[in-house]
Amino acid sequence: MTEILEGAQRGLLIRSLFGQILTIHFKNSLESTHKSLINIVQDLAAEADAQQPRCGLLVGVSPQLWGKWNNRIIPISDKILNGTDQWMNTHGDVFIYLKTHDFKTAQQLLEEPKRRLDGLAKDIECVVLGKRHDSRIVGGRYHDGITNPNDAVTLSEDILNRGDHKGSSFAFTQRFVFDWEAIMSNTSDSQNQIVGRRPDGSILSQHAIRGHVHRANVRDSNADQRKLLRQALPFGRDGHHAGREEGIMFVALCNEQKRFEDILQNLLGTRKDDPADQLMQMVSGIGGSYWYVPAAQELGVSPFQAGDALYEHPHWKVSSSNGYLFYNFQDYLHAMGEKRYREGDAPSPRLLSLIARTFNHWRDGWVHNHHFPRLPHLAGSEVKKKEMEAIPIPTRKAMANFETLTDLFSAPDSKIAQEMGLLRNYPKELLVGVVPDFTYGRGKEVMPYLSKDEELSFWLKKQLNEFSSMGHIIPDLNHVVGNGLGNMITDLEKRLHRDGSHTTFYNSAITSLKGVQGYLRNWATIADKSAARAREHKEADDADNMADVSDRLRRLVDEPPKSFQDAVQLIYSFHCCLHLVGELTSLGRLDQMLWPFLEKHPIPTDRAQEIIDCLFVKIGENALIDRTSIHDYITCGTGSINGGWGNFSQGGGLNQWGQQVTLGGYKAADGEPQDGCSPVTLLFLKSARRIPVNAPSIMLRLNKYTPADVIEEAAKALLSGGAQPGLFNDDKLCKGLLDSGVRKGHVKVEWARDYAADGCFEPLVAGATEFAFNNIMPLLALEQTLNEGATYGAAGPNHLRGLKTSFRSPLAQTIKSFEELQEIFLEQLRWLTIQSYDYMLDHYGNLADVCPSPLLSTVIDGCVEKGRDLTDGGARIHMIAPLFPGIANTIDSLFAIWKLVYDDESACATLDELRLCLINDWGFGMIEPYTDLQLAATEAEQHGDRYKELRTASLALPKWGTGAADSMLQKIGADFLDSVVRISNSVIRDPHPLLAPKLERIREKYGADFDFVVTTGGATFEGYTGVGLACGASADGRRKGMPVASDSSPAPSAQDLPPEPVFRNIYGVMKSYQQDAVEYGMADAAPVDLTIAEDFPLEDLRHFIKDFAAGWVGGNLITLTCADLKTLQAASKDPEKYGLVRVRMGGWTEFYPTSFPEHQDHHQRRPMVKPGRPDDKGYEIQNDDF
């Protein structure tokens, strides 16, 4: 990268503010003219270098003329430039672009060179240039050059040549004159749409396909835009108007001349007389040409030097003061490429090149909206669909897997794969393959294999279909790297021959694995082609790299991996294949899997880091950044997590692939616990700190033995944003999982110690667990308690008091004590819990008949041994999780009821008045029949005002999970959490009479030793907005339909009020979670999602993580998003400028600007914490602010 930059003319990389451009036609092309030109250029360049501030000289020459002088052929394509009146090719032999800091300097420096050139030239055209000091153009309306690739990485990738003449380039010049009458005939908004940006520099979503930003975006074979370096300057005045330029002298550079032609064609469109780019209708090109820009050495002028500063546009020059958190792509590439990163360990040039390509790919999402097409049916025709009914569905699913992996999504000539970016490949990649753009929020496309009759039948019975497989579990990828695909298939073939009763399962598994082999072969071919292209471009290192990749893939078709890189590639390839067939799974404990390979076959640490860095880039390369361009692939059956229909809250999961990686933690062994951290753990944490992707989502298992260097690296990674890593406490979760079996001793110690995060955060025994969950809504149980068994969110003229959903509890006015209310509430909660289990047990095994998982089953322990699909009870561990979203809101609501209704010291309302208040949404939504809207407006308003007063009183109360010391609040919280764990376990472990027969039927089918592992949790995931939509107003002050707290976190401040962050002591906040019900009873984890300021001291964060690892801090899972409120608010206004700001969304990380406003508002109101210290006893807070 440095070598390429240092080959360029120094003046090429100097910012243009003022200057002159000379376009020269020589009298002849003799060698003497060549020598004279070189002498003039060298003298002028030396004078420009001597100026302070430094000036710059950029020289371009006619490619034909330079080729003649240097005995070279420099091919040029100019069909589009010559083929229209929209611009003019006036040719020329040389152009000289002198960049200065004012008009006068340019005039003085060019006096003597012009005199000398007069003797050589038959014509010299001179254009005097200059822009405003604020760099605005078009009447001072727009920032110029805002997207220029001025960073070292992109300059060396897209602008400067890397071959024999390193640092050379190509240029396109065109003198455009503005049509001010046409420009001013458009409104301000229309002008913004035509340009593609607002005056403040923020980008507009490019739905207007005739906008300039859209039309100027042309993509290469990898579906990426290659950049131009624009160094245009305005010239002249339109009439006597100082605020209106006559036009602009467009100068652009890149390292591939045909790129100019492609862009011009896209600007022009299909009609020469009506340019597709509306901006082109307001300008006229009157002269310019294509040029070869020689390297500095070719001209004998000063090259760019390492000490020279590259210009970074002020618009992007924003980042966190902590030195770890970057706000945007451009600033990141500048800092890393120029070695200004705080820790001094920036990614390698190879990785920066790949990261720049990834950023470019994301940025293209503002412009290009490409959606997966619906895939063809396996049968191909309606007649064959009917005939296919005779083939077992698992076999059909396997056939669909095979076709998807070997043809549709990876064949080098597949049109779908090409158009969807599934063949994207760069010769610098150490790992190849592409994870498809399928997410839990947006859905996926899979190959259909059901007939129409079957589709209708399964819809009527279960609302399931071919899209219903959820993934969301952890495959045993260690089995893949430990055995290799060939041995896995051989083992299945042996079992097939031994066991005639499970032939369908084994055949479908074999077919699916052969699909993976075909995928590897296809990618070996793609790598071969990439190597050949690299050789054509004389890029020997890249060619050798792709040849090495191809050889590796061909070996891995049958052989197990031998090296560290082999193992990473095979893991990544298998992961891609699972996602390609619609199984959105996580990756498990990768440091545990990969350390044996690195330990046995050591390689330099820098090389190992490069491989893991590359894995991060590959996993995270397909992010969506423009939420307005989403496409919803979800069907009625997509993503069935519990055997039933799949509709769930989608908007928070736009970039949620489920690509979690779990690091650290105890080794999977009985006896005295041993920590499993290794040098590979540090490689992953360093990647998480330095590479700002949203996936993989890193979870770190901590315990009292976790090494100090791991804690140190985790703290730094957290300060880089994105809540990476999430923090598990091993000692608490291992015990919780150990006790989670319905039968005592069902879960072994080594199993419990082998947990990892599934597609979100839930701890599952890695590679051995099937998983289902269902939500139980305590806020709805509380509504039913207050409202005679009805939820009041739908109360009004249609449903009167609301939806009647449970037993009819006593009238509110008859509930005389808080204890009585609690008793009724817990019975309502118990009913909902039984209902939840009833649903999960009724639907258990449903997917086996509709959407089995033959490929995923090959990597789930128990399936192959039993000859049973994952969806048919094949896994070793069968986990079900009753989840209780809205915990903090429920506790705060119970406390508010106590304070407002029953506490002698503070009561100010009756329970029935509070019920009516909540039905009427705290006075903001007065509805009949609870308010007579025919009364005078003032009377209705008075009722509303009374309700608003009650809300003010509720909002002022202490809130749970904030460190508040109110003993009654803490007691209510502790009692509620104890009850949640007790109820959720008791009704299934000692089965309720209505559940017992269902459990028996399952055991009859799958064997008498079949049992469930039950893990209670407090989770919303990213669905806290969806959960809130289902709930009416709650007594904690929350408005109707507003979001609830994320996961088990303290409740956010009111979403309809301005965010006013209060920084709580982090130890004080976590004290509420220091109870057995949370730490051990919620074995599905009780995540506490907190926000820390960007200036949170590293030392304090390190201490906190160490204390949490030691078990001195409450809770079993903590996530920490690092972001200031002002950063989040700025990101909401300018999503491109803050495109790298990431936040925690339940079990994963999202780019904050991508989130919908409801989620952004929630994050701005989440609990903020500040440093603190426990005393020796662990929880007496020093300097507490309560």
Side-chain angles (χ1 to χ4, degrees):
M1 185 166 64
T2 301
E3 184 182 11
I4 295 168
L5 288 176
E6 292 180 349
Q9 299 176 40
R10 171 180 275 173
L12 187 153
L13 300 175
I14 287 178
R15 181 191 180 201
S16 55
L17 283 174
F18 298 90
Q20 293 186 21
I21 287 184
L22 307 181
T23 304
I24 305 162
H25 291 79
F26 288 131
K27 296 175 181 176
N28 60 59
S29 59
L30 298 176
E31 180 59 25
S32 59
T33 301
H34 177 207
K35 290 181 179 178
S36 297
L37 173 66
I38 294 296
N39 289 334
I40 293 169
V41 166
Q42 289 175 350
D43 291 345
L44 181 56
E47 285 208 49
D49 288 344
Q51 295 293 311
Q52 292 297 330
R54 180 174 293 140
C55 300
L57 178 66
L58 173 62
V59 176
V61 185
S62 159
Q64 294 84 359
L65 182 58
W66 191 258
K68 176 182 177 181
W69 282 342
N70 291 277
N71 196 27
R72 288 169 55 194
I73 296 175
I74 304 176
I76 291 292
S77 172
D78 56 9
K79 178 181 177 181
I80 308 302
L81 180 59
N82 291 330
T84 178
D85 294 335
Q86 190 64 43
W87 32 74
M88 292 182 65
N89 187 356
T90 50
H91 301 285
D93 293 317
V94 64
F95 88 93
I96 293 177
Y97 186 0
L98 180 63
K99 307 172 190 176
T100 60
H101 47 85
D102 58 29
F103 288 114
K104 184 178 179 181
T105 302
Q107 184 178 356
Q108 291 175 343
L109 289 178
L110 280 171
E111 275 187 28
E112 176 62 16
K114 282 182 180 178
R115 186 191 63 77
R116 294 167 66 183
L117 286 166
D118 279 339
L120 302 173
K122 60 182 178 183
D123 179 59
I124 300 177
E125 178 188 67
C126 177
V127 183
V128 178
L129 310 166
K131 68 170 65 171
R132 297 159 49 129
H133 283 283
D134 61 8
S135 296
R136 289 181 174 273
I137 60 172
V138 191
R141 184 170 178 82
Y142 297 106
H143 285 288
D144 181 49
I146 198 168
T147 59
N148 253 351
N150 291 309
D151 61 275
V153 181
T154 315
L155 285 169
S156 60
E157 286 288 316
D158 286 0
I159 308 305
L160 304 174
N161 285 310
R162 302 187 295 275
D164 293 336
H165 303 282
K166 287 184 174 62
S168 63
S169 187
F170 292 96
F172 168 59
T173 60
Q174 190 71 197
R175 189 177 178 184
F176 287 108
V177 176
F178 292 153
D179 182 345
W180 277 103
E181 184 176 348
I183 291 172
M184 298 311 296
S185 67
N186 289 275
T187 65
S188 295
D189 285 346
S190 294
Q191 289 180 36
N192 294 345
Q193 287 290 339
I194 290 168
V195 171
R197 289 188 179 274
R198 300 181 182 91
D200 65 0
S202 59
I203 195 169
L204 297 171
S205 296
Q206 297 301 304
H207 298 305
I209 62 172
R210 299 190 67 181
H212 181 64
V213 170
H214 184 100
R215 300 306 304 184
N217 188 294
V218 175
R219 304 194 296 174
D220 63 12
S221 59
N222 276 323
D224 287 331
Q225 182 198 19
R226 293 285 179 164
K227 294 291 187 180
L228 302 181
L229 178 62
R230 297 173 67 255
Q231 296 191 339
L233 285 177
F235 63 87
R237 288 185 180 183
D238 180 59
H240 300 288
H241 300 290
R244 291 187 178 181
E245 313 95 314
E246 179 185 352
I248 193 164
M249 186 68 188
F250 183 81
V251 181
L253 299 107
C254 72
N255 55 12
E256 182 185 24
Q257 185 270 330
K258 189 177 180 298
R259 194 178 307 157
F260 296 127
E261 285 278 290
D262 292 340
I263 292 173
L264 292 181
Q265 177 64 72
N266 216 45
L267 298 180
L268 189 64
T270 57
R271 294 178 55 186
K272 295 181 181 180
D273 60 337
D274 183 22
D277 182 351
Q278 288 180 306
L279 186 60
M280 290 297 102
Q281 298 178 357
M282 300 175 192
V283 299
S284 298
I286 60 173
S289 192
Y290 292 133
W291 311 91
Y292 173 71
V293 179
Q297 187 176 17
E298 295 181 89
L299 290 173
V301 298
S302 299
F304 180 83
Q305 296 176 359
D308 293 338
L310 292 170
Y311 174 71
E312 181 177 358
H313 196 288
H315 183 77
W316 308 114
K317 210 167 185 178
V318 289
S319 62
S320 176
S321 60
N322 73 21
Y324 295 106
L325 172 59
F326 291 91
Y327 293 157
N328 61 66
F329 310 149
Q330 289 85 343
D331 191 60
Y332 174 91
L333 290 174
H334 271 281
M336 293 299 192
E338 296 162 34
K339 298 181 170 34
R340 293 190 279 110
Y341 180 51
R342 169 175 175 164
E343 288 294 309
D345 59 350
S348 69
R350 176 197 304 275
L351 261 297
L352 288 176
S353 170
L354 296 175
I355 292 168
R357 293 267 66 84
T358 296
F359 288 167
N360 217 25
H361 178 61
W362 294 351
R363 192 187 291 111
D364 287 348
W366 287 107
V367 180
H368 296 282
N369 301 332
H370 283 280
H371 308 134
F372 270 86
R374 295 187 182 186
L375 302 187
H377 195 281
L378 177 63
S381 70
E382 290 300 323
V383 174
K384 290 183 178 179
K385 288 180 192 178
K386 193 67 180 174
E387 294 172 356
M388 191 165 273
E389 287 185 10
I391 302 174
I393 282 178
T395 303
R396 282 185 255 168
K397 177 65 178 285
M399 293 165 64
N401 287 349
F402 185 86
E403 289 295 318
T404 298
L405 295 177
T406 62
D407 183 15
L408 287 179
F409 284 173
S410 75
D413 59 352
S414 167
K415 185 178 179 181
I416 291 177
Q418 183 67 48
E419 290 179 351
M420 295 303 107
L422 295 177
L423 305 183
R424 190 165 54 248
N425 170 241
Y426 306 108
K428 286 182 169 54
E429 291 180 324
L430 300 177
L431 308 170
V432 296
V434 177
V435 180
D437 192 18
F438 298 157
T439 70
Y440 295 142
R442 287 179 279 144
K444 59 194 175 187
E445 288 292 347
V446 299
M447 177 176 276
Y449 49 80
L450 297 176
S451 70
K452 283 292 183 184
D453 289 344
E454 289 173 327
E455 194 175 348
L456 175 60
S457 173
F458 290 128
W459 177 75
L460 288 172
K461 292 178 181 177
K462 308 159 185 175
Q463 293 195 11
L464 300 176
N465 55 30
E466 300 99 326
F467 297 78
S468 294
S469 60
M470 183 71 174
H472 209 276
I473 60 173
I474 309 155
D476 186 3
L477 296 176
N478 199 38
H479 179 65
V480 180
V481 294
N483 295 279
L485 296 173
N487 289 332
M488 289 172 68
I489 291 173
T490 299
D491 177 59
L492 288 165
E493 289 172 340
K494 289 179 179 178
R495 292 176 185 273
L496 174 65
H497 294 134
R498 287 198 307 264
D499 182 356
S501 60
H502 297 103
T503 56
T504 298
F505 169 78
Y506 288 124
N507 277 321
S508 66
I510 291 167
T511 300
S512 296
L513 284 177
K514 287 183 176 179
V516 178
Q517 290 181 313
Y519 180 81
L520 292 177
R521 291 189 186 99
N522 282 341
W523 268 97
T525 301
I526 294 167
D528 285 338
K529 293 181 177 180
S530 185
R533 286 193 298 271
R535 287 194 184 92
E536 286 177 14
H537 290 90
K538 300 181 180 180
E539 295 169 348
D541 290 346
D542 289 346
D544 291 345
N545 177 59
M546 281 293 104
D548 179 60
V549 167
S550 175
D551 175 68
R552 176 173 298 105
L553 291 168
R554 287 192 165 87
R555 282 189 288 104
L556 293 175
V557 167
D558 288 302
E559 299 175 17
K562 298 176 182 176
S563 69
F564 182 71
Q565 190 170 349
D566 283 358
V568 178
Q569 177 66 70
L570 185 54
I571 285 171
Y572 177 67
S573 294
F574 204 96
H575 176 71
C576 288
C577 289
L578 286 169
H579 281 243
L580 286 165
V581 299
E583 302 281 9
L584 276 54
T585 52
S586 64
L587 292 114
R589 307 183 70 187
L590 288 190
D591 58 343
Q592 305 290 302
M593 299 178 211
L594 293 172
W595 170 235
F597 289 94
L598 190 58
E599 185 179 35
K600 186 174 181 180
H601 303 287
I603 58 176
T605 301
D606 287 350
R607 177 65 173 182
Q609 187 69 65
E610 257 197 333
I611 293 169
I612 299 303
D613 286 351
C614 191
L615 179 64
F616 268 67
V617 173
K618 292 301 297 178
I619 287 174
E621 67 182 340
N622 256 339
L624 172 88
I625 62 171
D626 178 15
R627 64 176 179 268
T628 67
S629 67
I630 64 169
H631 185 78
D632 185 355
Y633 303 101
I634 300 282
T635 73
C636 65
T638 300
S640 172
I641 195 63
N642 48 33
W645 67 316
N647 275 314
F648 52 87
S649 181
Q650 296 175 232
L654 300 182
N655 280 319
Q656 163 58 317
W657 290 274
Q659 300 187 101
Q660 274 65 6
V661 170
T662 303
L663 304 175
Y666 290 135
K667 294 180 179 179
D670 202 348
E672 192 66 25
Q674 298 179 16
D675 183 73
C677 289
S678 70
V680 177
T681 311
L682 289 172
L683 296 179
F684 273 91
L685 289 173
K686 287 182 179 179
S687 293
R689 165 171 55 83
R690 295 150 53 253
I691 300 179
V693 290
N694 86 306
S697 185
I698 302 300
M699 304 296 294
L700 176 62
R701 290 176 48 180
L702 296 165
N703 55 65
K704 54 195 173 189
Y705 304 113
T706 301
D709 55 354
V710 170
I711 291 175
E712 172 82 10
E713 199 58 58
K716 293 176 181 177
L718 284 167
L719 290 175
S720 73
Q724 304 262 39
L727 307 175
F728 284 127
N729 182 280
D730 254 7
D731 295 292
K732 297 170 184 177
L733 282 170
C734 287
K735 183 180 186 309
L737 288 168
L738 188 66
D739 296 337
S740 63
V742 171
R743 289 182 292 106
K744 188 174 178 60
H746 177 62
V747 178
K748 298 178 181 178
V749 171
E750 58 267 31
W751 297 0
R753 289 178 179 169
D754 199 24
Y755 74 86
D758 67 352
C760 286
F761 60 76
E762 302 98 309
L764 275 58
V765 179
T769 309
E770 62 164 319
F771 179 65
F773 70 78
N774 207 5
N775 282 348
I776 301 160
M777 307 271 279
L779 278 178
L780 294 184
L782 189 52
E783 290 186 29
Q784 291 163 183
T785 300
L786 300 176
N787 198 35
E788 301 179 69
T791 58
Y792 50 70
N798 189 31
H799 293 289
L800 300 184
R801 79 171 189 273
L803 298 176
K804 289 71 179 177
T805 50
S806 182
F807 69 88
R808 192 162 60 160
S809 52
L811 294 168
Q813 54 265 42
T814 68
I815 302 175
K816 300 303 182 185
S817 69
F818 184 67
E819 290 72 21
E820 182 184 355
L821 180 135
Q822 285 183 301
E823 186 178 335
I824 298 167
F825 164 65
L826 293 179
E827 183 62 14
Q828 290 283 3
L829 189 64
R830 182 169 172 271
W831 274 48
L832 293 181
T833 305
I834 293 169
Q835 181 188 50
S836 176
Y837 282 125
D838 182 75
Y839 184 92
M840 287 192 282
L841 297 180
D842 266 351
H843 289 75
Y844 182 77
N846 275 356
L847 266 66
D849 297 332
V850 188
C851 189
S853 297
L855 180 59
L856 183 52
S857 295
T858 66
V859 284
I860 296 295
D861 188 33
C863 294
V864 170
E865 293 79 1
K866 298 174 187 176
R868 279 188 176 275
D869 192 87
L870 164 69
T871 61
D872 195 28
R876 185 203 326 153
I877 294 175
H878 318 283
M879 183 179 287
I880 53 176
L883 303 182
F884 294 82
I887 284 175
N889 300 91
T890 305
I891 294 171
D892 289 341
S893 292
L894 287 167
F895 179 66
I897 293 171
W898 157 255
K899 294 294 288 183
L900 299 179
V901 177
Y902 295 105
D903 182 11
D904 292 337
E905 300 296 325
S906 59
C908 57
T910 67
L911 188 61
D912 196 51
E913 183 184 13
L914 181 59
R915 178 183 72 91
L916 293 172
C917 172
L918 298 176
I919 287 175
N920 286 283
D921 192 17
W922 294 106
F924 293 92
M926 305 298 286
I927 56 173
E928 291 191 353
Y930 300 98
T931 297
D932 188 349
L933 297 181
Q934 294 183 6
L935 293 175
T938 53
E939 190 169 342
E941 288 173 4
Q942 287 174 359
H943 284 293
D945 289 343
R946 164 63 176 158
Y947 295 155
K948 290 174 184 176
E949 289 173 3
L950 288 176
R951 186 191 189 211
T952 300
S954 176
L955 290 173
L957 293 172
K959 304 299 181 185
W960 183 81
T962 62
D966 190 289
S967 60
M968 187 61 177
L969 173 62
Q970 296 305 326
K971 181 180 186 306
I972 288 172
D975 289 348
F976 169 69
L977 291 166
D978 284 339
S979 298
V980 162
V981 173
R982 174 177 50 79
I983 291 170
S984 61
N985 281 281
S986 64
V987 299
I988 189 76
R989 293 185 185 223
D990 181 16
H992 187 277
L994 294 175
L995 299 179
K998 298 176 188 289
L999 285 167
E1000 285 306 311
R1001 283 198 297 272
I1002 291 172
R1003 291 192 180 104
E1004 286 174 9
K1005 181 174 182 179
Y1006 297 108
D1009 61 344
F1010 183 99
D1011 253 321
F1012 285 109
V1013 168
V1014 178
T1015 55
T1016 302
T1020 60
F1021 314 117
E1022 62 275 9
Y1024 40 83
T1025 58
V1027 171
L1029 280 174
C1031 300
S1034 46
D1036 60 341
R1038 193 189 125 270
R1039 293 274 309 280
K1040 174 184 175 180
M1042 293 272 178
V1044 299
S1046 69
D1047 295 321
S1048 302
S1049 314
S1053 61
Q1055 193 129 339
D1056 62 322
L1057 299 177
E1060 295 180 356
V1062 177
F1063 286 87
R1064 318 280 187 183
N1065 185 307
I1066 191 170
Y1067 288 90
V1069 166
M1070 296 310 300
K1071 186 172 183 179
S1072 296
Y1073 301 88
Q1074 195 177 37
Q1075 63 177 103
D1076 288 355
V1078 174
E1079 297 181 320
Y1080 307 108
M1082 289 190 165
D1084 197 58
V1088 184
D1089 306 317
L1090 304 174
T1091 301
I1092 60 175
E1094 294 169 28
D1095 62 357
F1096 198 103
L1098 175 63
E1099 180 69 17
D1100 290 297
L1101 186 54
R1102 186 190 305 120
H1103 275 295
F1104 176 76
I1105 296 171
K1106 183 179 179 181
D1107 290 344
F1108 180 72
W1112 299 341
V1113 177
N1116 55 26
L1117 170 56
I1118 299 174
T1119 71
L1120 298 171
T1121 292
C1122 180
D1124 291 341
L1125 175 60
K1126 66 178 182 180
T1127 302
L1128 299 180
Q1129 291 174 329
S1132 296
K1133 294 177 182 177
D1134 193 338
E1136 189 185 26
K1137 189 174 181 178
Y1138 291 85
L1140 290 181
V1141 175
R1142 297 165 294 156
V1143 294
R1144 190 72 178 188
M1145 299 283 288
W1148 61 289
T1149 294
E1150 176 62 289
F1151 293 104
Y1152 174 84
T1154 304
S1155 303
F1156 286 105
E1158 295 82 354
H1159 289 277
Q1160 294 184 0
D1161 290 344
H1162 193 275
H1163 278 281
Q1164 291 182 25
R1165 292 159 176 79
R1166 284 192 179 183
M1168 302 284 294
V1169 291
K1170 65 182 183 181
R1173 285 283 190 277
D1175 72 358
D1176 293 338
K1177 296 178 182 177
Y1179 251 107
E1180 291 298 322
I1181 307 300
Q1182 297 177 2
N1183 301 319
D1184 191 13
D1185 53 349
F1186 298 101

